[in-house]
Amino acid sequence: MNTTRSLTDENRARLRGVSTATLTTALFKRGLRNVCIQGVLPVNPAAARMVGEAFTLRYIPAREDLDTMSVFTDRSHPQRRGIEEIPAGYVMVVDSRKDPRAASAGGILITRMKMRGVAGIVTDGGFRDTPDLRSLDFPCYAARPSAPTNLIHHHAVDLNVPIACGDLAVYPGDIVVGDAEGVVVIPAHLANETAEEAAAMTLFEDWVDARVRDGRSTFGLYPPDESTRAEFEAWQANSSN
Amino acid sequence: MNTTRSLTDENRARLRGVSTATLTTALFKRGLRNVCIQGVLPVNPAAARMVGEAFTLRYIPAREDLDTMSVFTDRSHPQRRGIEEIPAGYVMVVDSRKDPRAASAGGILITRMKMRGVAGIVTDGGFRDTPDLRSLDFPCYAARPSAPTNLIHHHAVDLNVPIACGDLAVYPGDIVVGDAEGVVVIPAHLANETAEEAAAMTLFEDWVDARVRDGRSTFGLYPPDESTRAEFEAWQANSSN
Amino acid sequence: MNTTRSLTDENRARLRGVSTATLTTALFKRGLRNVCIQGVLPVNPAAARMVGEAFTLRYIPAREDLDTMSVFTDRSHPQRRGIEEIPAGYVMVVDSRKDPRAASAGGILITRMKMRGVAGIVTDGGFRDTPDLRSLDFPCYAARPSAPTNLIHHHAVDLNVPIACGDLAVYPGDIVVGDAEGVVVIPAHLANETAEEAAAMTLFEDWVDARVRDGRSTFGLYPPDESTRAEFEAWQANSSN
Amino acid sequence: MNTTRSLTDENRARLRGVSTATLTTALFKRGLRNVCIQGVLPVNPAAARMVGEAFTLRYIPAREDLDTMSVFTDRSHPQRRGIEEIPAGYVMVVDSRKDPRAASAGGILITRMKMRGVAGIVTDGGFRDTPDLRSLDFPCYAARPSAPTNLIHHHAVDLNVPIACGDLAVYPGDIVVGDAEGVVVIPAHLANETAEEAAAMTLFEDWVDARVRDGRSTFGLYPPDESTRAEFEAWQANSSN
Amino acid sequence: MNTTRSLTDENRARLRGVSTATLTTALFKRGLRNVCIQGVLPVNPAAARMVGEAFTLRYIPAREDLDTMSVFTDRSHPQRRGIEEIPAGYVMVVDSRKDPRAASAGGILITRMKMRGVAGIVTDGGFRDTPDLRSLDFPCYAARPSAPTNLIHHHAVDLNVPIACGDLAVYPGDIVVGDAEGVVVIPAHLANETAEEAAAMTLFEDWVDARVRDGRSTFGLYPPDESTRAEFEAWQANSSN
Amino acid sequence: MNTTRSLTDENRARLRGVSTATLTTALFKRGLRNVCIQGVLPVNPAAARMVGEAFTLRYIPAREDLDTMSVFTDRSHPQRRGIEEIPAGYVMVVDSRKDPRAASAGGILITRMKMRGVAGIVTDGGFRDTPDLRSLDFPCYAARPSAPTNLIHHHAVDLNVPIACGDLAVYPGDIVVGDAEGVVVIPAHLANETAEEAAAMTLFEDWVDARVRDGRSTFGLYPPDESTRAEFEAWQANSSN
């Protein structure tokens, strides 16, 4: 796989400081409406700040004669191989066909990814061992907890191909950002500019939020009119001194 | 809009002290089966005690040529106007067609409503900025968090018309009550009598609950037979002395 | 009903110490894929450790002329009778046809079951009074909170017949196990052997988890190859000294 | 089972001549809103005119160790027994938990029911062998075709108990009426009066329909005002001469 | 209401000769992705060729105290008024919140619309009396048949406001086009140019279809390369002689 | 791709003469429960007799910057390439993630496949131009008609990889069989034995059906007891003379 990482360290840091909500707006301005992995929640909201390149795992439905306990002894099994091969700093994104009736992964494998420096994991299905995951300092996003082992409904079929996850296309290398609200995926070629714009938007929105808490009306403030824009720029010039 | 408020202050206070569960029973006795906004949860359960008149906002699906970022600069945009016009003490109820793929509102607008003295907000879609909303002392109810800005899937079309929210009809001026369980809507003309009955039921149910915790059987107790009724009345007479 | 309880005390204790995730694997090895009540969550995760025989309650949809407030005065009403008849140590499992629009049970009845020594309650519908249930030290599992009284959508029709709950067949006397993740149902005749295997698996998986936290690869470890198996057995022999 | 049939022959004949649409209105006037088996369609619309008492079959989900091909050799298997025991003139109504992933019944069993004089069959799941059923002169209603044999997802558990079918309560002995639109279930004690009212309504609505085809406005006609009512009565008096 | 009709007669005729599939492509070229009323089918495919301006009817959920049989005697009831007021040549589009559990309209009212010269009716809910509608020469589109009268689940609330229908925004005056496949809605200001482009596309696609039936590869043909384009233009020049 | 075809001509012919219902039973006897593409119907039931090897096409969700009209000019576009490359006698099976909001294919491409000798096409999404497909003598299966062009919601990503279709795993080379009821997929290595068993079962079931039409009970007949088995064998011996 191509592991050239075009997102700069500075912008990677910026993405850790912006919300997924702000990112959807920055991407909407670039013509992208569908940028959010729909229907997933953080298992451990306190750990939910995730930025990394997408490394994908694709499941298809299980078939009784193929998906037996013995498959896990094979080191080329895509799920098991993926856990050991995903580069540090990447996010594993799993296409589970929005089927949470069996788990996409569980405590031991996810702990292994954490130990390897992986940035997080997202599935549009479920995780097992969620009581353990809730206290693991590692970002995990799923539709819901799901105790059954993945073989019961899922067959891991390949790694690092473009997939669907939560009704969103995810391409390997896309930048995956998660917070306590959910997960947004930024096409790789837009990552740097989006990070910069979102960071600027966040500064402005924090300033707006403070004004609103002071009792100011949103009219003319959000979105800003000429005068608000000038006021913000003055404040910004001031505060950066 | 007609802002005559027929709910008395005393009954408004009573509604703050009863559960939505008790209210559904009081309304069922009046022939109403469908009184609950289905499928919404409090974003911040600790803040979830809400009573107020309904002020409605209606969304239809977005259309790409109409729903662009520029619409928010227009002060007559129904969502933005609603935020600034809803009277203090009212609850904003949003018809999002049970579509949580984009937000119905977010942190800044909801903070503005809190500052204006609004009583709460309910949508059958989603909210963005929920990590902030979780620590805001303001009752917010939604189907789930949703990062994308509302324009992506929603077009705000009018204010204060009868709407559907969570499969329930909501008329402007109906009394909206929320607790940590969910949201019930009381038709305006039934609000005073329902508040009174629910308060009386709550007294009785609290007494029953204490009896059950003492180990008593529910037979004859809940619902009460003649003898239990007499016992409760005696207790009540006693305790109000 | 037959209350012969074939699960030994030792295995009952073992089931309190294993996860529902591990149980699904032990049952999958016995050819059972469908063992999990799908789509339910613990109301109070801190209280979510439940083991007991299934005692079932079946609902069908309500009919307006039959399901009126007066039915609860009848002591033979299945829901009310079930609350008072379920043996201590059993789990009430409710077939609500996956319809959470009205409650399957509420605070007073559930508190009564707790007082009677019942082990827990599961519904594939909803519970009312969930704000109270969240602080009750009693395992309750449901699809979601639901304020409306059960009569609005449900009619209790019989007790202790085989039912569907969360797309799973549940037979009276099956062993129902719940943790903070969900609920698994073990066919009665497999309960002892499953408990034993799951306890052994848990010992091994805890040991694996510790190895993974030490930085070891999952290859050869999970599932174990010959050498790992020998290593674990040596560790086990050692630690039981 | 109680096979006393309180529906008179005359009213049985009337029910063959009215639409399910008209029946829902007659029942709504009696306070019943939920009278239609939701989500089922006739397999063979040309054969879709069905009237008979409900004889019910209840399925729960299959379990791999119980639901094997050998179960059908047992003459007490509820599905097989039901086929041979349902009285002539009755309608088999099947609770398949709205799960059409496996069939509720197929061509051979349904042909047997036809030969035995059964009035029809309804399931909220699916039928197999629908290409054959489409040319069988026998009313069959299902959610959709479904090739897999019932054992794959269904376990027949009992006969002639109250069930859910398409979100509706169905009690053994209720009167089940089907036409090319769908299926309505009339509580047994209301069957005669409902048949009479529906027949009268049908006469009036046919007269209205003819007036509308002549170009008349619906205002004052449907529903009728005093003058229309008089006109209809005159017409009726005339035409019965 | 504004009944200025900007669609020319020529383009109205063109829209009768193009498919809804072709229209979605013509609109996609103009940046519109969401132009199809999702999930509706023609009741009578043989009659399914519909073109007309949208006249909308909006339903919210019924409430037991408001939605009683007596409401239909009121000539200002929106459903009844709409039937008599919709201009000839228009299409009634009904927002039923995708709820087909009760009918949006039935045989008598729809026959009245046909007599008045209305162009068709679309609902994202259901129709009753569909056995009659199947033989009525009038375009009707719905999610499915539904016997229950609308009052059971629907409350007609207003006419000719922007609505949602099948997840699509529909504005009064938009051009609604239906064929045997489904329904597309063209924003009013794009109707003439879309009709022209779709007619041209149809000519080309019919020519392509004939080539494909002759055994030609789709490569270079569909979409056309330079040489194919020239060939088509030559054919077109020829055939218009 | 490997185009070795292990299904014998004789068994291919047998599969044309058995129902999908019978095939599910033959496969269930081999331990396979999940063999049916769920939720698809034939567009043209009269043409619905399809047997062929699976050739797969996989879609992921569209992304606005990638999925523009210009992609179709690229001959390596997987959908367009697949149409021209699928071998005669094969069935195209499309993974559309059960999303019928945009078409998976339309009239021109499907006609091209017919001209090339392809055996049929199945999608768990929708087809456009279904009014044309309904009169095309070519087996097409889909969830429903869908006018919008595939780019609006789908991005064709690869050919001939294992996919999900209608909740079923489909591997390239599996044998896909369709009739007027639906579609069953037979793992390649089981195709010959399944064809043989299904043909034998069909002979028996046709004989049973004739007996049932003569008025015989299903007890002892279906499934057959010893005596019925002997009777059938005698009949078979006789009729093959």
Side-chain angles (χ1 to χ4, degrees), chain D residues 20-22 24-25 28 33 36 38-39 41 180-181 205 208-209 212-213 215-220 222-223, chain E residues 64 67 69 72-73 75 80 84 101 108 111-112 115 128-131 134 136 144-145 147-149 151-152:
Chain D
T20 55
T22 298
T24 67
T25 305
F28 180 50
R33 293 170 167 265
C36 189
Q38 293 286 345
L41 291 171
E181 181 148 286
E205 287 176 0
V208 166
D209 189 63
V212 166
R213 285 173 195 266
R216 193 149 141 187
S217 164
T218 57
F219 283 152
Y222 188 69
Chain E
E64 290 90 338
D67 296 292
M69 290 302 292
F72 291 137
T73 58
R75 290 186 184 202
R80 299 306 165 102
E84 297 293 342
R101 292 176 303 154
I108 288 172
T111 301
R112 173 61 181 155
M115 297 309 295
R128 64 202 307 228
D129 306 319
T130 50
R134 276 197 276 271
L136 192 72
R144 64 166 170 86
T149 185
L151 290 170
I152 288 177

Side-chain angles (χ1 to χ4, degrees), chain E residues 96-136:
Chain E
S96 302
R97 310 172 319 286
K98 298 187 289 184
D99 183 349
R101 292 176 303 154
S104 304
I108 288 172
L109 300 187
I110 290 174
T111 301
R112 173 61 181 155
M113 286 197 289
K114 173 178 154 62
M115 297 309 295
R116 293 192 56 250
V118 170
I121 180 168
V122 188
T123 180
D124 57 2
F127 292 129
R128 64 202 307 228
D129 306 319
T130 50
D132 299 335
L133 298 178
R134 276 197 276 271
S135 59
L136 192 72

